[in-house]
Amino acid sequence: MRRPDQQTTTRPTTGPAPETGAAAATGAESLSGGTPGPGLPPGATGPGHPAGTGPAAAPGRPAGDLTTEAVLAPYLRAQAADFLRSLRLHHEHSAPADSGGHDAAAATRALRRAARRISGSLHTFRAALDPLWADQLRTELTWLTGVLAREHAYANRLTRLVEALHQLSGPALPAARGARAAGEGSADAQGRAALGVGAARAGALLERRLTLARTRSHSAALQALGSSRFHAVADAVALLASDVPLAPGPAGRGSEELLEPAERAEQRLLAAVAALPPEDSEPYNEAQDAAWHQARLLLRLHRYAHEVVLGAADPALAAPGHALDLHRDAVEAAGAAAAAARTPRIAPATAYALGVLHADQRHEVEAARAVFRESWPYATVLTAP
């Protein structure tokens, strides 16, 4: 972990932004490799980066310009405009005469993306804004993104599980992990045969369950988008596009009102990453998943704070964020396979195929965790006490 006196990712230097690589590495230190973390050799800037170099940092702003009116308010107005634009596109492509289902899905994703950024910024920079307004709008945006995300999540989960079943039941079924004794060949052949018999039924069962859940989620999303609650949210975002309610009095007018919350968001992320289970922990211990989900949420909040303060997301955190997204997908897919295996009166071969599928997705969970550890810019954080 970095010392308290080290500059954080989201605190730019005072004065003009540096222009060249060496000055930029000194003036805008980040998780991606500004100041070496404890345990790194002198001159190293982080895993995968030569001494004195690192990913291109976002152009910094002078600290004096980091006021709510100059930075946070324009950011929120821009995200509100994206929200309204995506909503208009969603209405256009959701008309019965419009067959562009992909365009409607893309508009929904853009709508969720803008809503998440508004909600995350309201959470991080609450002290600089009208707190009652920020809490209310954040609650409504969280509800909206949750409703809109379910249909997409069920569709992706079904695709992931069906593709995994095809790979596991095909001729190139991977051997079990670890050393295999010479006498286990016949047992492996029997396992392949049982898996081949049950894979088709397991796939059909998963398709029925997840398609039904997706259909219900689609209906719930349509109902939500036509509700008075959603129209109230859209009206609030429309007002945000032109007017950002600030905290009363002088609060929210100084740079510290943005820098301190952004740094707290970063420190919460670092603490959550340091508290993650060790690499040699039990792969099937589902109780550990919550800590990884929390790290994913805090990483997202930190990325949004970085966008507000420095104008762009930290490129060094793109790979760790993607790994945590894959981790979440694998965890939910494993849970779906386990839930399907608990269906009453299914054939033993079907239950066996679902068990193999569950184990495969739990191995994918471990693979995503390994990718996160390898791509995390400050690897020493993962072993911090």
Side-chain angles (χ1 to χ4, degrees), residues 238-252:
L239 292 175
L240 176 62
S242 58
D243 179 38
V244 178
L246 303 179

Side-chain angles (χ1 to χ4, degrees), residues 9-322:
T9 304
T10 48
R11 181 178 287 272
T13 56
T14 56
E19 297 180 356
T20 60
T26 304
E29 298 167 3
S30 70
L31 291 173
S32 58
T35 299
L40 292 176
T45 58
H49 303 297
T53 65
R61 297 188 180 97
D65 293 343
L66 290 173
T67 62
T68 302
E69 293 93 336
V71 175
L72 179 59
Y75 179 85
L76 289 174
R77 285 196 292 267
Q79 296 303 324
D82 287 344
F83 180 97
L84 299 174
R85 188 180 306 110
S86 302
L87 180 59
R88 185 183 70 252
L89 292 175
H90 182 274
H91 287 327
E92 292 176 356
H93 295 297
S94 298
D98 193 337
S99 59
H102 294 292
D103 292 334
T108 301
R109 287 193 297 271
L111 186 68
R112 289 168 43 212
R113 183 165 54 246
R116 286 198 306 266
R117 278 167 167 75
I118 296 172
S119 177
S121 300
L122 296 180
H123 174 80
T124 301
F125 302 105
R126 178 179 182 272
L129 303 165
D130 182 340
L132 295 177
W133 167 83
D135 291 343
Q136 182 177 3
L137 181 56
R138 179 167 61 88
T139 300
E140 295 303 292
L141 289 173
T142 301
W143 160 76
L144 177 62
T145 54
V147 170
L148 296 179
R150 292 192 189 103
E151 179 185 0
H152 178 72
Y154 284 124
N156 284 354
R157 200 170 306 158
L158 177 60
T159 301
R160 180 187 186 93
L161 289 172
V162 170
E163 289 178 353
L165 266 178
H166 288 166
Q167 293 176 1
L168 291 171
S169 61
L173 178 65
R177 290 167 174 79
R180 181 180 297 277
E184 294 181 358
S186 59
D188 180 63
Q190 293 175 1
R192 287 171 178 268
L195 181 59
V197 171
R201 293 181 178 178
L205 177 60
L206 288 170
E207 186 169 1
R208 285 197 303 271
R209 292 172 60 92
L210 294 177
T211 300
L212 177 60
R214 179 187 179 184
T215 301
R216 290 175 175 172
S217 299
H218 180 72
S219 300
L222 292 179
Q223 184 177 3
L225 291 175
S227 66
S228 58
R229 183 177 183 180
F230 171 75
H231 287 297
V233 175
D235 290 343
V237 175
L239 292 175
L240 176 62
S242 58
D243 179 38
V244 178
L246 303 179
R253 304 305 195 268
S255 61
E256 292 303 316
E257 296 297 327
L258 297 185
L259 293 175
E260 291 181 0
E263 290 172 0
R264 285 196 298 270
E266 182 182 35
Q267 293 304 317
R268 286 194 296 268
L269 169 63
L270 295 176
V273 172
L276 290 175
E279 187 173 2
D280 57 353
S281 59
E282 172 58 44
Y284 293 100
N285 187 354
E286 297 178 359
Q288 297 177 353
D289 295 340
W292 291 87
H293 294 330
Q294 178 68 7
R296 175 179 173 273
L297 173 62
L298 294 175
L299 176 57
R300 174 175 287 178
L301 291 176
H302 168 63
R303 284 174 49 222
Y304 297 161
H306 199 283
E307 289 180 4
V308 171
V309 175
L310 294 183
D314 186 351
L317 296 180
H322 181 63

